[in-house]
Amino acid sequence: MESVRLIDEWPVDNAATAVVAADGSVLGRHGDTARKFRLASVSKPLTAYAALIAVEEGVVELDTPAGPEGSTVRHLLAHTSGLAFDAHKAMAAPGTRRLYSNAGFEQLADALAEHSGIPFAQYQAEALFAPLGMTSTALDGSPASGAVSTVDDLGAFAAELQAPKLLDPATVAAATDVVFPGLSGVLPGFGHQKPNDWGLGFEIRDHKSPHWTGAQSSPRTFGHFGQSGTFLWVDPDAGAACVALTDRAFGPWAAEVWPRYTDAVLADLGA
């Protein structure tokens, strides 16, 4: 794929990328895909997936109370617990607003640790990273933003998202469909969106504008981006996923080059 070489034009010191097909094969890669990068909020899908494994293992249920009063595991995963962005205080009643919350993912991990009796980072490493061979990935800090990984490891995760082996495919389908539909809110870096659709730990592309994916991305596209200049998306209609990691903080540069890159990748896939 020639499109992966576009990352050479990005205004960053280091970048790496890969495109992964639905069958797990790597269609294209560029850059040092074994280099470790800080993921920032791309940590959240990894935390969410570990939470979904815990649900299937019976550690918790989606309706298990967690977070502020009236909130559940489902609310925390879908950013509808009412918790503030970074503060552990309620700003709205659960289920009434889409308030993107790092604190919510921290309280989610705390609830999982409490119910499993295992520190969350250990549970995640044993339940998710080890089975997928993600040997260069670790959670070193907040479960909302503290993971470090490589393009190679996230490529394995992207393959899992498209052809689940650790979860029932129905669980992944439900997690990547809209949960609490119709709620509006702010998509960090891209302003107020109405609706601001999310699944369980995954942002849903839908018809948001502006957005960090491409103009040609299907509405069913899901994934996440991080403030450390990172993203992972899966486009079920294209039958592929894309990971890109950099060492420059998100800013106007990313909002400009990421959609262009995504559209080039999709054009390559459709060629």
Side-chain angles (χ1 to χ4, degrees):
M1 297 183 69
E2 284 301 311
S3 54
V4 296
R5 298 183 179 277
L6 286 175
I7 67 169
D8 288 339
E9 302 174 6
W10 292 1
V12 301
D13 290 333
N14 295 282
T17 189
V19 179
V20 182
D23 64 3
S25 61
V26 177
L27 301 174
R29 60 162 58 97
H30 193 59
D32 184 356
T33 58
R35 181 188 178 94
K36 293 182 180 180
F37 291 88
R38 294 186 306 107
L39 299 187
S41 284
V42 177
S43 305
K44 289 185 175 74
L46 298 174
T47 293
Y49 215 79
L52 294 171
I53 292 172
V55 169
E56 287 204 353
E57 289 184 342
V59 175
V60 292
E61 298 178 357
L62 287 174
D63 292 326
T64 296
E69 185 176 355
S71 174
T72 65
V73 169
R74 190 192 316 272
H75 287 112
L76 292 171
L77 282 166
H79 295 287
T80 57
S81 71
L83 283 171
F85 174 62
D86 264 329
H88 290 260
K89 63 179 181 178
M91 305 294 289
T96 62
R97 293 171 62 189
R98 190 85 65 186
L99 296 176
Y100 182 83
S101 177
N102 289 328
F105 268 68
E106 291 167 358
Q107 294 200 17
L108 171 66
D110 288 345
L112 293 171
E114 178 183 351
H115 285 274
S116 68
I118 303 171
F120 177 74
Q122 179 184 342
Y123 184 90
Q124 184 181 49
E126 294 175 356
L128 177 59
F129 301 156
L132 294 184
M134 298 171 66
T135 57
S136 296
T137 305
L139 180 61
D140 183 21
S142 168
S145 60
V148 174
S149 189
T150 66
V151 165
D152 289 336
D153 276 14
L154 288 184
F157 182 56
E160 167 70 15
L161 290 172
Q162 296 179 91
K165 296 179 176 64
L166 304 183
L167 287 175
D168 187 318
T171 298
V172 178
T176 56
D177 198 2
V178 182
V179 181
F180 300 104
L183 297 181
S184 61
V186 173
L187 177 62
F190 292 90
H192 194 270
Q193 304 281 347
K194 186 176 181 179
N196 187 21
D197 285 340
W198 287 75
L200 297 174
F202 298 90
E203 193 222 330
I204 311 297
R205 171 71 172 91
D206 203 354
H207 299 286
K208 293 170 182 167
S209 181
H211 199 257
W212 55 276
T213 61
Q216 302 307 312
S217 297
S218 78
R220 295 202 299 147
T221 298
F222 63 88
H224 220 292
F225 82 90
Q227 288 293 322
S228 56
T230 56
F231 72 72
L232 182 160
W233 56 251
V234 177
D235 190 334
D237 289 3
C242 183
V243 177
L245 304 181
T246 80
D247 57 2
R248 181 180 178 184
F250 172 83
W253 72 269
E256 178 182 344
V257 303
W258 286 354
R260 186 186 311 149
Y261 175 56
T262 292
D263 283 337
V265 167
L266 292 171
D268 248 2
L269 292 170

